[in-house]
Amino acid sequence: MPCALQQPTLHWNNLKMNKSLTLLGTALLLASSASAFAASSVDLTVKGLITPNACTPTLSGGGVVDHGKIASKDLVQNNPTSLPRFTLQLTINCEGLTAMAIRPIDNRAGTSTGSSDFGLGLINENKKLGRFYLTPLNMVADAVAVQPIASSDGGSTWYAERLWELQTLWGVGALDDATALIPVKDLVMDLEVATQIARADQFDFSEEQPIDGSGTLEVMYL
């Protein structure tokens, strides 16, 4: 009799085990299907912020630095040649106090002899002619003297920077604090443009070659 009582119990446990395995298999199948579905889709978010204040940048002289014709014999053969420096005035007028920065764009990307400077184009098919770079001077924001600052992380942090470079944002800071971007309405500064021709003994100047530097200064709202 004790054995007869044990058989149904064992048989029931087997049924229960089979049922549990079936449910477990179903759960795994559903989880696998959900995972496969998630891997087949991706979300796209469009964000932004419309600001009521617009800023207009202006460069004196139409933003043109013209070195005229330079005799190739006057270029240094075994070292770079620095051309005379030009100074342009950059003015940025905003409709109200605005947190903004300048994003430099090299329109001759890949042609500069300096990794953080603007290029002068290619000559003799594939040779880099040289570079030019900008130095901000005499900065005044809303009738108050300010200092040039820069950010290499998209505007999250700022630091004092005497020489503005590509791959950074250019901004304005108070004289006693280079770590914070200050909003401005009217900004005026001198931009010193320094141009340098690479060593001349690598080039063929049997024909005239153009100095073809070009950059864009884009106002970004932060």
Side-chain angles (χ1 to χ4, degrees):
M1 291 297 292
C3 292
L5 289 173
Q6 288 177 359
Q7 288 178 355
T9 302
L10 291 173
H11 184 65
W12 171 248
N13 285 342
N14 288 336
L15 289 175
K16 187 176 181 180
M17 185 182 297
N18 291 337
K19 185 177 182 180
S20 299
L21 290 174
T22 301
L23 291 174
L24 178 60
T26 302
L28 289 174
L29 180 61
L30 290 173
S32 175
S33 298
S35 176
F37 178 77
S40 300
S41 64
V42 66
D43 292 332
L44 171 65
T45 301
V46 178
K47 300 177 64 176
L49 186 66
I50 298 175
T51 176
N53 299 323
C55 299
T56 303
T58 305
L59 273 171
S60 63
V64 176
V65 171
D66 189 355
H67 289 284
K69 286 194 174 184
I70 302 168
S72 59
K73 67 180 182 62
D74 293 333
L75 298 175
V76 181
Q77 294 299 303
N78 58 355
N79 275 301
T81 301
S82 294
L83 302 184
R85 299 192 176 200
F86 280 68
T87 299
L88 301 178
Q89 187 175 79
L90 172 62
T91 303
I92 301 178
N93 300 116
C94 304
E95 296 173 348
L97 281 176
T98 305
M100 61 87 187
I102 300 170
R103 183 170 75 97
I105 302 170
D106 185 3
N107 298 329
R108 302 292 180 264
T111 72
S112 176
T113 51
S115 60
S116 58
D117 302 320
F118 298 85
L120 295 178
L122 301 175
I123 67 171
N124 303 150
E125 295 185 359
N126 60 357
K127 293 183 178 180
K128 299 176 181 180
L129 180 60
R131 63 181 181 134
F132 75 92
Y133 57 92
L134 307 177
T135 302
L137 303 169
N138 308 317
M139 297 182 69
V140 177
D142 302 319
V144 177
V146 291
Q147 67 170 317
I149 60 176
S151 174
S152 57
D153 56 12
S156 296
T157 59
W158 295 88
Y159 53 88
E161 183 55 79
R162 187 178 66 85
L163 297 176
W164 276 343
E165 299 178 332
L166 294 174
Q167 294 89 45
T168 62
L169 293 181
W170 304 347
V172 178
L175 291 181
D176 59 353
D177 185 6
T179 65
L181 181 76
I182 61 173
V184 300
K185 182 179 182 296
D186 298 304
L187 176 64
V188 180
M189 73 184 80
D190 292 328
L191 274 184
E192 185 180 74
V193 184
T195 304
Q196 192 176 74
I197 305 297
R199 55 184 296 166
D201 57 5
Q202 64 180 307
F203 301 124
D204 176 10
F205 288 120
S206 57
E207 296 182 1
E208 290 187 347
Q209 300 292 340
I211 298 175
D212 186 32
S214 176
T216 298
L217 304 182
E218 179 183 68
V219 175
M220 290 187 61
Y221 304 102
L222 302 176

